[in-house]
Amino acid sequence: MSDSFLPQKDEIRRRLEGRYVGAVPHNQALGLRVVDYRPEHLSLALPYRVDLVGNPETEVLHGGCITSLIDATCGGAVIMSLAAPRRIATLDLRIDYVRPALPHQEVICGAHCYKVTKHVAFVRAKAHHGDKANPIATASGTFVIFPDEGRRTEDGVPK
Amino acid sequence: MRLRDAVVELRQTGDFTSLQEAIPYARFMGIGGELVDGEVIGRMRYSDHLVGNANVPALHGGTLGALMESTAIFKLLWHGETTAIPKTINITVEYLRGARPQDVFARAEFTRRGRRVANVRVFAYQDDPDSPVAVATAHFLLVQD
């Protein structure tokens, strides 16, 4: 694998995984992992697991865990686009299921943060089984960027 | 129990227990349904693995989407005539405020329920039903048996 020539890339991947998966309990519970990254782009994979199945007859993963995968990947792509660390929150996320997911296969989400303004970031994403040209879901999301890392409203939750 | 048998049982008894037991992801997430004054209410029981931001702390946005999609499906199955699970065409989730690390509830409304497609609005809330933490609009393809 080309990774053996690029030890730094593995190291960066490990750090990103710490940030996007290790530090986020639900992403860790889903077993997400970093597949690829570059400025403004992030790809995360959701491994197939029987306890994440939505319909035991088809053995396909539940839409809910695909929503979590897409939300996590889009948020990560926003972080990849920011010059400095900031707290962000999802404003909205739309997911279109363009074809049925297949059983026993991991789902990969690739997200691209195509525009960042002072307060808002815009992201598009596709979820697929390995072939980007044949997605199972397409998505678009917007995120709010908070002014300072760690700043809170008086009741401790983002507005 | 098979999923279809669980749907039949739900329609006979109004009890969602067998349905949520038949859906592995619902068990993993602690998502269930109940009838409250004749209305389907979805519930996601808090557990630490649902957290998205441990610093705030707040629940992961994806988990709210999962609860709302599940609640819409529960309501479609409760009111439907077929035992096949509706297929999600799309879902749009709007996040209104941070969800605290506690149980989340959801209530669904049919905007339109046709023969093939159902349009559903879902509201997720914690302490106050009039102050939702997230709302969703979803379309489902109703599969014939």
Side-chain angles (χ1 to χ4, degrees):
Chain A
M1 295 296 284
S2 60
D3 280 351
S4 60
F5 300 106
L6 297 165
Q8 285 177 311
K9 186 149 186 169
D10 258 357
E11 171 60 20
I12 294 168
R13 193 199 309 270
R14 208 174 55 77
R15 281 198 212 169
L16 290 175
E17 219 150 64
R19 171 153 199 173
Y20 298 135
V21 183
V24 182
H26 192 61
N27 291 348
Q28 194 160 36
L30 293 173
L32 301 190
R33 58 186 176 79
V34 174
V35 175
D36 199 12
Y37 61 88
R38 56 200 157 96
E40 290 120 44
H41 290 75
L42 183 68
S43 291
L44 298 180
L46 168 70
Y48 182 84
R49 267 182 15 208
V50 289
D51 61 341
L52 301 179
V53 163
N55 184 337
E57 288 177 17
T58 60
E59 298 183 291
V60 168
L61 295 177
H62 195 283
C65 57
I66 296 176
T67 300
S68 288
L69 168 70
I70 293 174
D71 185 42
T73 315
C74 288
V78 174
I79 303 278
M80 301 287 291
S81 309
L82 300 175
R86 294 280 183 79
R87 196 163 66 82
I88 61 165
T90 317
L91 240 191
D92 81 338
L93 183 66
R94 177 191 170 112
I95 300 171
D96 290 295
Y97 287 96
V98 297
R99 76 175 174 89
L102 300 171
H104 312 293
Q105 291 202 33
E106 72 172 2
V107 179
I108 296 165
C109 178
H112 173 209
C113 179
Y114 62 93
K115 178 70 182 172
V116 180
T117 68
K118 193 175 175 196
H119 300 294
V120 183
F122 300 85
V123 190
R124 288 203 186 94
K126 280 182 184 176
H128 54 86
H129 286 309
D131 178 7
K132 288 177 198 166
N134 195 12
I136 56 176
T138 60
S140 67
T142 50
F143 289 74
V144 180
I145 304 164
F146 291 92
D148 297 306
E149 173 94 313
R151 199 168 142 192
R152 303 280 179 273
T153 52
E154 59 283 355
D155 61 355
V157 293
K159 291 288 180 210
Chain B
M1 186 183 285
R2 285 173 65 243
L3 197 53
R4 282 164 195 268
D5 297 331
V7 174
V8 171
E9 186 186 291
L10 164 67
R11 294 229 185 90
Q12 286 166 350
T13 64
D15 185 346
F16 284 83
T17 309
S18 294
L19 181 66
Q20 64 211 40
E21 285 298 312
I23 302 171
Y25 181 74
R27 292 202 304 270
F28 171 74
M29 296 292 288
I31 290 175
E34 54 196 298
L35 284 178
V36 179
D37 299 328
E39 189 178 12
V40 175
I41 300 293
R43 177 181 195 162
M44 182 165 69
R45 289 181 188 277
Y46 175 75
S47 75
D48 290 342
H49 76 78
L50 301 178
V51 169
N53 186 330
N55 295 324
V56 175
L59 298 184
H60 195 293
T63 68
L64 300 175
L67 170 67
M68 291 191 283
E69 185 175 344
S70 299
T71 303
I73 291 171
F74 288 165
K75 183 164 172 127
L76 285 165
L77 290 173
W78 168 243
H79 290 282
E81 276 124 42
T82 69
T83 56
I85 304 294
K87 287 183 177 154
T88 310
I89 301 169
N90 56 35
I91 180 164
T92 305
V93 183
E94 284 179 68
Y95 296 94
L96 305 175
R97 34 182 77 78
R100 292 180 175 83
Q102 61 191 54
D103 290 5
V104 191
F105 301 89
R107 178 177 62 79
E109 282 175 8
F110 296 140
T111 318
R112 177 179 181 273
R113 189 159 65 104
R115 256 174 53 78
R116 278 198 189 82
V117 173
N119 307 45
V120 190
R121 286 280 280 167
V122 195
F123 303 82
Y125 55 92
Q126 294 190 298
D127 300 318
D128 180 4
D130 294 326
S131 181
V133 292
V135 296
T137 305
H139 298 97
F140 294 90
L141 192 63
L142 304 177
V143 187
Q144 305 304 315
D145 279 325

PDB file of all heavy atoms in Angstrom, chain A residues 60-97:
ATOM      1  N   VAL A  60     -30.277  -4.517   6.060  1.00  0.00           N
ATOM      2  CA  VAL A  60     -29.643  -3.242   5.697  1.00  0.00           C
ATOM      3  C   VAL A  60     -29.537  -2.363   6.948  1.00  0.00           C
ATOM      4  O   VAL A  60     -30.397  -2.407   7.829  1.00  0.00           O
ATOM      5  CB  VAL A  60     -30.479  -2.551   4.587  1.00  0.00           C
ATOM      6  CG1 VAL A  60     -30.047  -1.111   4.387  1.00  0.00           C
ATOM      7  CG2 VAL A  60     -30.358  -3.327   3.282  1.00  0.00           C
ATOM      8  N   LEU A  61     -28.465  -1.554   7.017  1.00  0.00           N
ATOM      9  CA  LEU A  61     -28.267  -0.640   8.137  1.00  0.00           C
ATOM     10  C   LEU A  61     -29.434   0.344   8.225  1.00  0.00           C
ATOM     11  O   LEU A  61     -30.017   0.735   7.214  1.00  0.00           O
ATOM     12  CB  LEU A  61     -26.962   0.156   7.958  1.00  0.00           C
ATOM     13  CG  LEU A  61     -25.658  -0.640   7.995  1.00  0.00           C
ATOM     14  CD1 LEU A  61     -24.475   0.294   7.730  1.00  0.00           C
ATOM     15  CD2 LEU A  61     -25.480  -1.335   9.342  1.00  0.00           C
ATOM     16  N   HIS A  62     -29.765   0.757   9.442  1.00  0.00           N
ATOM     17  CA  HIS A  62     -30.829   1.727   9.674  1.00  0.00           C
ATOM     18  C   HIS A  62     -30.408   3.104   9.142  1.00  0.00           C
ATOM     19  O   HIS A  62     -29.237   3.479   9.240  1.00  0.00           O
ATOM     20  CB  HIS A  62     -31.093   1.816  11.172  1.00  0.00           C
ATOM     21  CG  HIS A  62     -32.372   2.505  11.538  1.00  0.00           C
ATOM     22  ND1 HIS A  62     -32.521   3.877  11.498  1.00  0.00           N
ATOM     23  CD2 HIS A  62     -33.572   2.015  11.937  1.00  0.00           C
ATOM     24  CE1 HIS A  62     -33.752   4.188  11.881  1.00  0.00           C
ATOM     25  NE2 HIS A  62     -34.416   3.075  12.147  1.00  0.00           N
ATOM     26  N   GLY A  63     -31.372   3.850   8.597  1.00  0.00           N
ATOM     27  CA  GLY A  63     -31.094   5.208   8.115  1.00  0.00           C
ATOM     28  C   GLY A  63     -30.515   6.097   9.203  1.00  0.00           C
ATOM     29  O   GLY A  63     -29.714   6.987   8.926  1.00  0.00           O
ATOM     30  N   GLY A  64     -30.892   5.842  10.451  1.00  0.00           N
ATOM     31  CA  GLY A  64     -30.419   6.680  11.558  1.00  0.00           C
ATOM     32  C   GLY A  64     -28.909   6.694  11.692  1.00  0.00           C
ATOM     33  O   GLY A  64     -28.306   7.753  11.908  1.00  0.00           O
ATOM     34  N   CYS A  65     -28.259   5.525  11.542  1.00  0.00           N
ATOM     35  CA  CYS A  65     -26.795   5.512  11.709  1.00  0.00           C
ATOM     36  C   CYS A  65     -26.119   6.127  10.484  1.00  0.00           C
ATOM     37  O   CYS A  65     -25.012   6.672  10.589  1.00  0.00           O
ATOM     38  CB  CYS A  65     -26.264   4.125  12.053  1.00  0.00           C
ATOM     39  SG  CYS A  65     -26.653   2.815  10.906  1.00  0.00           S
ATOM     40  N   ILE A  66     -26.810   6.075   9.323  1.00  0.00           N
ATOM     41  CA  ILE A  66     -26.269   6.752   8.137  1.00  0.00           C
ATOM     42  C   ILE A  66     -26.398   8.269   8.310  1.00  0.00           C
ATOM     43  O   ILE A  66     -25.495   9.029   7.938  1.00  0.00           O
ATOM     44  CB  ILE A  66     -26.959   6.216   6.865  1.00  0.00           C
ATOM     45  CG1 ILE A  66     -26.608   4.722   6.704  1.00  0.00           C
ATOM     46  CG2 ILE A  66     -26.537   7.022   5.626  1.00  0.00           C
ATOM     47  CD1 ILE A  66     -27.271   4.025   5.557  1.00  0.00           C
ATOM     48  N   THR A  67     -27.490   8.718   8.944  1.00  0.00           N
ATOM     49  CA  THR A  67     -27.629  10.141   9.280  1.00  0.00           C
ATOM     50  C   THR A  67     -26.479  10.586  10.191  1.00  0.00           C
ATOM     51  O   THR A  67     -25.868  11.637   9.973  1.00  0.00           O
ATOM     52  CB  THR A  67     -28.983  10.407   9.976  1.00  0.00           C
ATOM     53  OG1 THR A  67     -30.042  10.021   9.095  1.00  0.00           O
ATOM     54  CG2 THR A  67     -29.151  11.882  10.336  1.00  0.00           C
ATOM     55  N   SER A  68     -26.184   9.775  11.208  1.00  0.00           N
ATOM     56  CA  SER A  68     -25.083  10.122  12.120  1.00  0.00           C
ATOM     57  C   SER A  68     -23.750  10.162  11.384  1.00  0.00           C
ATOM     58  O   SER A  68     -22.933  11.063  11.610  1.00  0.00           O
ATOM     59  CB  SER A  68     -24.999   9.110  13.272  1.00  0.00           C
ATOM     60  OG  SER A  68     -26.068   9.302  14.164  1.00  0.00           O
ATOM     61  N   LEU A  69     -23.519   9.182  10.491  1.00  0.00           N
ATOM     62  CA  LEU A  69     -22.281   9.159   9.698  1.00  0.00           C
ATOM     63  C   LEU A  69     -22.162  10.436   8.854  1.00  0.00           C
ATOM     64  O   LEU A  69     -21.103  11.074   8.831  1.00  0.00           O
ATOM     65  CB  LEU A  69     -22.282   7.930   8.776  1.00  0.00           C
ATOM     66  CG  LEU A  69     -21.207   7.923   7.679  1.00  0.00           C
ATOM     67  CD1 LEU A  69     -19.809   7.732   8.269  1.00  0.00           C
ATOM     68  CD2 LEU A  69     -21.492   6.838   6.633  1.00  0.00           C
ATOM     69  N   ILE A  70     -23.254  10.801   8.163  1.00  0.00           N
ATOM     70  CA  ILE A  70     -23.218  11.962   7.268  1.00  0.00           C
ATOM     71  C   ILE A  70     -23.035  13.247   8.079  1.00  0.00           C
ATOM     72  O   ILE A  70     -22.235  14.118   7.716  1.00  0.00           O
ATOM     73  CB  ILE A  70     -24.486  12.003   6.392  1.00  0.00           C
ATOM     74  CG1 ILE A  70     -24.483  10.816   5.415  1.00  0.00           C
ATOM     75  CG2 ILE A  70     -24.580  13.333   5.637  1.00  0.00           C
ATOM     76  CD1 ILE A  70     -25.756  10.655   4.597  1.00  0.00           C
ATOM     77  N   ASP A  71     -23.739  13.364   9.209  1.00  0.00           N
ATOM     78  CA  ASP A  71     -23.608  14.550  10.065  1.00  0.00           C
ATOM     79  C   ASP A  71     -22.164  14.685  10.560  1.00  0.00           C
ATOM     80  O   ASP A  71     -21.568  15.765  10.510  1.00  0.00           O
ATOM     81  CB  ASP A  71     -24.591  14.433  11.236  1.00  0.00           C
ATOM     82  CG  ASP A  71     -24.613  15.686  12.118  1.00  0.00           C
ATOM     83  OD1 ASP A  71     -24.602  16.801  11.563  1.00  0.00           O
ATOM     84  OD2 ASP A  71     -24.632  15.546  13.347  1.00  0.00           O
ATOM     85  N   ALA A  72     -21.596  13.561  11.006  1.00  0.00           N
ATOM     86  CA  ALA A  72     -20.222  13.579  11.529  1.00  0.00           C
ATOM     87  C   ALA A  72     -19.222  13.962  10.432  1.00  0.00           C
ATOM     88  O   ALA A  72     -18.298  14.746  10.663  1.00  0.00           O
ATOM     89  CB  ALA A  72     -19.874  12.210  12.106  1.00  0.00           C
ATOM     90  N   THR A  73     -19.418  13.424   9.234  1.00  0.00           N
ATOM     91  CA  THR A  73     -18.471  13.682   8.148  1.00  0.00           C
ATOM     92  C   THR A  73     -18.582  15.130   7.683  1.00  0.00           C
ATOM     93  O   THR A  73     -17.566  15.791   7.432  1.00  0.00           O
ATOM     94  CB  THR A  73     -18.713  12.728   6.965  1.00  0.00           C
ATOM     95  OG1 THR A  73     -18.906  11.403   7.448  1.00  0.00           O
ATOM     96  CG2 THR A  73     -17.533  12.736   6.004  1.00  0.00           C
ATOM     97  N   CYS A  74     -19.814  15.628   7.553  1.00  0.00           N
ATOM     98  CA  CYS A  74     -20.008  17.020   7.120  1.00  0.00           C
ATOM     99  C   CYS A  74     -19.391  17.982   8.143  1.00  0.00           C
ATOM    100  O   CYS A  74     -18.701  18.931   7.776  1.00  0.00           O
ATOM    101  CB  CYS A  74     -21.498  17.322   6.949  1.00  0.00           C
ATOM    102  SG  CYS A  74     -22.233  16.525   5.502  1.00  0.00           S
ATOM    103  N   GLY A  75     -19.632  17.720   9.432  1.00  0.00           N
ATOM    104  CA  GLY A  75     -19.054  18.564  10.477  1.00  0.00           C
ATOM    105  C   GLY A  75     -17.535  18.532  10.432  1.00  0.00           C
ATOM    106  O   GLY A  75     -16.876  19.568  10.560  1.00  0.00           O
ATOM    107  N   GLY A  76     -16.977  17.350  10.205  1.00  0.00           N
ATOM    108  CA  GLY A  76     -15.524  17.210  10.100  1.00  0.00           C
ATOM    109  C   GLY A  76     -14.965  17.975   8.913  1.00  0.00           C
ATOM    110  O   GLY A  76     -13.898  18.588   8.999  1.00  0.00           O
ATOM    111  N   ALA A  77     -15.696  17.955   7.783  1.00  0.00           N
ATOM    112  CA  ALA A  77     -15.253  18.685   6.590  1.00  0.00           C
ATOM    113  C   ALA A  77     -15.234  20.190   6.860  1.00  0.00           C
ATOM    114  O   ALA A  77     -14.370  20.913   6.352  1.00  0.00           O
ATOM    115  CB  ALA A  77     -16.151  18.356   5.397  1.00  0.00           C
ATOM    116  N   VAL A  78     -16.185  20.664   7.680  1.00  0.00           N
ATOM    117  CA  VAL A  78     -16.191  22.088   8.054  1.00  0.00           C
ATOM    118  C   VAL A  78     -14.935  22.401   8.867  1.00  0.00           C
ATOM    119  O   VAL A  78     -14.219  23.372   8.589  1.00  0.00           O
ATOM    120  CB  VAL A  78     -17.465  22.456   8.858  1.00  0.00           C
ATOM    121  CG1 VAL A  78     -17.379  23.901   9.361  1.00  0.00           C
ATOM    122  CG2 VAL A  78     -18.716  22.258   8.001  1.00  0.00           C
ATOM    123  N   ILE A  79     -14.647  21.551   9.869  1.00  0.00           N
ATOM    124  CA  ILE A  79     -13.451  21.753  10.705  1.00  0.00           C
ATOM    125  C   ILE A  79     -12.195  21.799   9.825  1.00  0.00           C
ATOM    126  O   ILE A  79     -11.287  22.612  10.044  1.00  0.00           O
ATOM    127  CB  ILE A  79     -13.319  20.609  11.747  1.00  0.00           C
ATOM    128  CG1 ILE A  79     -14.574  20.503  12.615  1.00  0.00           C
ATOM    129  CG2 ILE A  79     -12.049  20.763  12.582  1.00  0.00           C
ATOM    130  CD1 ILE A  79     -14.677  21.447  13.760  1.00  0.00           C
ATOM    131  N   MET A  80     -12.165  20.917   8.801  1.00  0.00           N
ATOM    132  CA  MET A  80     -11.014  20.870   7.889  1.00  0.00           C
ATOM    133  C   MET A  80     -10.862  22.164   7.101  1.00  0.00           C
ATOM    134  O   MET A  80      -9.821  22.410   6.496  1.00  0.00           O
ATOM    135  CB  MET A  80     -11.169  19.711   6.883  1.00  0.00           C
ATOM    136  CG  MET A  80     -11.287  18.334   7.480  1.00  0.00           C
ATOM    137  SD  MET A  80      -9.757  17.693   8.152  1.00  0.00           S
ATOM    138  CE  MET A  80      -8.805  17.443   6.674  1.00  0.00           C
ATOM    139  N   SER A  81     -11.922  22.971   7.045  1.00  0.00           N
ATOM    140  CA  SER A  81     -11.915  24.196   6.232  1.00  0.00           C
ATOM    141  C   SER A  81     -11.607  25.441   7.042  1.00  0.00           C
ATOM    142  O   SER A  81     -11.446  26.519   6.473  1.00  0.00           O
ATOM    143  CB  SER A  81     -13.284  24.382   5.570  1.00  0.00           C
ATOM    144  OG  SER A  81     -13.667  23.205   4.918  1.00  0.00           O
ATOM    145  N   LEU A  82     -11.574  25.316   8.362  1.00  0.00           N
ATOM    146  CA  LEU A  82     -11.399  26.497   9.203  1.00  0.00           C
ATOM    147  C   LEU A  82      -9.921  26.767   9.469  1.00  0.00           C
ATOM    148  O   LEU A  82      -9.135  25.838   9.633  1.00  0.00           O
ATOM    149  CB  LEU A  82     -12.132  26.314  10.542  1.00  0.00           C
ATOM    150  CG  LEU A  82     -13.648  26.090  10.445  1.00  0.00           C
ATOM    151  CD1 LEU A  82     -14.224  25.814  11.833  1.00  0.00           C
ATOM    152  CD2 LEU A  82     -14.332  27.288   9.808  1.00  0.00           C
ATOM    153  N   ALA A  83      -9.581  28.049   9.507  1.00  0.00           N
ATOM    154  CA  ALA A  83      -8.194  28.423   9.735  1.00  0.00           C
ATOM    155  C   ALA A  83      -7.792  28.193  11.190  1.00  0.00           C
ATOM    156  O   ALA A  83      -6.631  27.903  11.487  1.00  0.00           O
ATOM    157  CB  ALA A  83      -7.998  29.889   9.356  1.00  0.00           C
ATOM    158  N   ALA A  84      -8.758  28.321  12.109  1.00  0.00           N
ATOM    159  CA  ALA A  84      -8.487  28.130  13.531  1.00  0.00           C
ATOM    160  C   ALA A  84      -9.590  27.266  14.121  1.00  0.00           C
ATOM    161  O   ALA A  84     -10.694  27.236  13.590  1.00  0.00           O
ATOM    162  CB  ALA A  84      -8.448  29.482  14.242  1.00  0.00           C
ATOM    163  N   PRO A  85      -9.312  26.547  15.222  1.00  0.00           N
ATOM    164  CA  PRO A  85     -10.355  25.699  15.811  1.00  0.00           C
ATOM    165  C   PRO A  85     -11.542  26.530  16.294  1.00  0.00           C
ATOM    166  O   PRO A  85     -11.351  27.542  16.953  1.00  0.00           O
ATOM    167  CB  PRO A  85      -9.653  25.032  17.002  1.00  0.00           C
ATOM    168  CG  PRO A  85      -8.206  25.304  16.842  1.00  0.00           C
ATOM    169  CD  PRO A  85      -8.057  26.518  15.990  1.00  0.00           C
ATOM    170  N   ARG A  86     -12.722  26.111  15.936  1.00  0.00           N
ATOM    171  CA  ARG A  86     -13.952  26.794  16.364  1.00  0.00           C
ATOM    172  C   ARG A  86     -14.971  25.732  16.708  1.00  0.00           C
ATOM    173  O   ARG A  86     -14.946  24.639  16.167  1.00  0.00           O
ATOM    174  CB  ARG A  86     -14.542  27.639  15.227  1.00  0.00           C
ATOM    175  CG  ARG A  86     -13.705  28.818  14.801  1.00  0.00           C
ATOM    176  CD  ARG A  86     -13.915  29.964  15.781  1.00  0.00           C
ATOM    177  NE  ARG A  86     -13.163  31.131  15.348  1.00  0.00           N
ATOM    178  CZ  ARG A  86     -13.554  31.957  14.390  1.00  0.00           C
ATOM    179  NH1 ARG A  86     -14.674  31.755  13.743  1.00  0.00           N
ATOM    180  NH2 ARG A  86     -12.817  33.002  14.070  1.00  0.00           N
ATOM    181  N   ARG A  87     -15.900  26.102  17.571  1.00  0.00           N
ATOM    182  CA  ARG A  87     -17.014  25.209  17.832  1.00  0.00           C
ATOM    183  C   ARG A  87     -18.050  25.423  16.733  1.00  0.00           C
ATOM    184  O   ARG A  87     -18.297  26.569  16.324  1.00  0.00           O
ATOM    185  CB  ARG A  87     -17.625  25.501  19.200  1.00  0.00           C
ATOM    186  CG  ARG A  87     -18.520  24.381  19.711  1.00  0.00           C
ATOM    187  CD  ARG A  87     -18.755  24.533  21.204  1.00  0.00           C
ATOM    188  NE  ARG A  87     -19.509  25.736  21.496  1.00  0.00           N
ATOM    189  CZ  ARG A  87     -20.838  25.828  21.404  1.00  0.00           C
ATOM    190  NH1 ARG A  87     -21.556  24.799  20.993  1.00  0.00           N
ATOM    191  NH2 ARG A  87     -21.453  26.949  21.714  1.00  0.00           N
ATOM    192  N   ILE A  88     -18.600  24.336  16.224  1.00  0.00           N
ATOM    193  CA  ILE A  88     -19.619  24.429  15.179  1.00  0.00           C
ATOM    194  C   ILE A  88     -20.851  23.632  15.602  1.00  0.00           C
ATOM    195  O   ILE A  88     -20.776  22.794  16.493  1.00  0.00           O
ATOM    196  CB  ILE A  88     -19.100  23.899  13.821  1.00  0.00           C
ATOM    197  CG1 ILE A  88     -18.718  22.411  13.937  1.00  0.00           C
ATOM    198  CG2 ILE A  88     -17.920  24.718  13.316  1.00  0.00           C
ATOM    199  CD1 ILE A  88     -18.554  21.723  12.596  1.00  0.00           C
ATOM    200  N   ALA A  89     -21.988  23.945  14.964  1.00  0.00           N
ATOM    201  CA  ALA A  89     -23.209  23.167  15.230  1.00  0.00           C
ATOM    202  C   ALA A  89     -23.975  23.037  13.928  1.00  0.00           C
ATOM    203  O   ALA A  89     -23.988  23.962  13.105  1.00  0.00           O
ATOM    204  CB  ALA A  89     -24.063  23.869  16.289  1.00  0.00           C
ATOM    205  N   THR A  90     -24.596  21.872  13.734  1.00  0.00           N
ATOM    206  CA  THR A  90     -25.391  21.655  12.527  1.00  0.00           C
ATOM    207  C   THR A  90     -26.647  22.515  12.580  1.00  0.00           C
ATOM    208  O   THR A  90     -27.371  22.498  13.571  1.00  0.00           O
ATOM    209  CB  THR A  90     -25.818  20.174  12.403  1.00  0.00           C
ATOM    210  OG1 THR A  90     -24.718  19.343  12.726  1.00  0.00           O
ATOM    211  CG2 THR A  90     -26.297  19.871  10.995  1.00  0.00           C
ATOM    212  N   LEU A  91     -26.877  23.298  11.514  1.00  0.00           N
ATOM    213  CA  LEU A  91     -28.121  24.067  11.394  1.00  0.00           C
ATOM    214  C   LEU A  91     -29.183  23.183  10.760  1.00  0.00           C
ATOM    215  O   LEU A  91     -30.279  23.036  11.276  1.00  0.00           O
ATOM    216  CB  LEU A  91     -27.875  25.259  10.460  1.00  0.00           C
ATOM    217  CG  LEU A  91     -28.058  26.675  10.949  1.00  0.00           C
ATOM    218  CD1 LEU A  91     -28.028  27.611   9.760  1.00  0.00           C
ATOM    219  CD2 LEU A  91     -29.319  26.857  11.753  1.00  0.00           C
ATOM    220  N   ASP A  92     -28.856  22.640   9.601  1.00  0.00           N
ATOM    221  CA  ASP A  92     -29.767  21.684   8.984  1.00  0.00           C
ATOM    222  C   ASP A  92     -29.011  20.700   8.116  1.00  0.00           C
ATOM    223  O   ASP A  92     -27.858  20.933   7.728  1.00  0.00           O
ATOM    224  CB  ASP A  92     -30.896  22.383   8.207  1.00  0.00           C
ATOM    225  CG  ASP A  92     -30.457  22.832   6.830  1.00  0.00           C
ATOM    226  OD1 ASP A  92     -29.248  22.993   6.597  1.00  0.00           O
ATOM    227  OD2 ASP A  92     -31.346  23.023   5.973  1.00  0.00           O
ATOM    228  N   LEU A  93     -29.652  19.581   7.880  1.00  0.00           N
ATOM    229  CA  LEU A  93     -29.039  18.509   7.094  1.00  0.00           C
ATOM    230  C   LEU A  93     -30.143  17.810   6.312  1.00  0.00           C
ATOM    231  O   LEU A  93     -31.134  17.379   6.896  1.00  0.00           O
ATOM    232  CB  LEU A  93     -28.350  17.517   8.039  1.00  0.00           C
ATOM    233  CG  LEU A  93     -27.579  16.364   7.403  1.00  0.00           C
ATOM    234  CD1 LEU A  93     -26.363  16.866   6.630  1.00  0.00           C
ATOM    235  CD2 LEU A  93     -27.136  15.367   8.477  1.00  0.00           C
ATOM    236  N   ARG A  94     -29.971  17.753   4.989  1.00  0.00           N
ATOM    237  CA  ARG A  94     -30.948  17.053   4.152  1.00  0.00           C
ATOM    238  C   ARG A  94     -30.272  15.833   3.532  1.00  0.00           C
ATOM    239  O   ARG A  94     -29.173  15.936   2.988  1.00  0.00           O
ATOM    240  CB  ARG A  94     -31.446  17.967   3.028  1.00  0.00           C
ATOM    241  CG  ARG A  94     -32.419  17.234   2.097  1.00  0.00           C
ATOM    242  CD  ARG A  94     -32.714  18.016   0.827  1.00  0.00           C
ATOM    243  NE  ARG A  94     -33.441  17.161  -0.100  1.00  0.00           N
ATOM    244  CZ  ARG A  94     -34.708  17.340  -0.450  1.00  0.00           C
ATOM    245  NH1 ARG A  94     -35.378  18.354   0.024  1.00  0.00           N
ATOM    246  NH2 ARG A  94     -35.286  16.504  -1.280  1.00  0.00           N
ATOM    247  N   ILE A  95     -30.929  14.695   3.631  1.00  0.00           N
ATOM    248  CA  ILE A  95     -30.383  13.457   3.069  1.00  0.00           C
ATOM    249  C   ILE A  95     -31.399  12.850   2.116  1.00  0.00           C
ATOM    250  O   ILE A  95     -32.561  12.645   2.485  1.00  0.00           O
ATOM    251  CB  ILE A  95     -30.064  12.439   4.186  1.00  0.00           C
ATOM    252  CG1 ILE A  95     -29.037  13.030   5.155  1.00  0.00           C
ATOM    253  CG2 ILE A  95     -29.535  11.136   3.585  1.00  0.00           C
ATOM    254  CD1 ILE A  95     -28.822  12.197   6.403  1.00  0.00           C
ATOM    255  N   ASP A  96     -30.973  12.602   0.871  1.00  0.00           N
ATOM    256  CA  ASP A  96     -31.804  11.920  -0.115  1.00  0.00           C
ATOM    257  C   ASP A  96     -31.259  10.512  -0.314  1.00  0.00           C
ATOM    258  O   ASP A  96     -30.075  10.339  -0.634  1.00  0.00           O
ATOM    259  CB  ASP A  96     -31.763  12.668  -1.459  1.00  0.00           C
ATOM    260  CG  ASP A  96     -32.489  13.994  -1.397  1.00  0.00           C
ATOM    261  OD1 ASP A  96     -33.718  13.976  -1.194  1.00  0.00           O
ATOM    262  OD2 ASP A  96     -31.835  15.041  -1.551  1.00  0.00           O
ATOM    263  N   TYR A  97     -32.129   9.524  -0.118  1.00  0.00           N
ATOM    264  CA  TYR A  97     -31.708   8.132  -0.345  1.00  0.00           C
ATOM    265  C   TYR A  97     -31.985   7.788  -1.799  1.00  0.00           C
ATOM    266  O   TYR A  97     -33.120   7.520  -2.176  1.00  0.00           O
ATOM    267  CB  TYR A  97     -32.437   7.186   0.614  1.00  0.00           C
ATOM    268  CG  TYR A  97     -31.911   7.334   2.016  1.00  0.00           C
ATOM    269  CD1 TYR A  97     -32.541   8.157   2.938  1.00  0.00           C
ATOM    270  CD2 TYR A  97     -30.739   6.694   2.396  1.00  0.00           C
ATOM    271  CE1 TYR A  97     -32.028   8.323   4.216  1.00  0.00           C
ATOM    272  CE2 TYR A  97     -30.215   6.851   3.671  1.00  0.00           C
ATOM    273  CZ  TYR A  97     -30.864   7.667   4.569  1.00  0.00           C
ATOM    274  OH  TYR A  97     -30.341   7.845   5.824  1.00  0.00           O
TER     275      TYR A  97
END
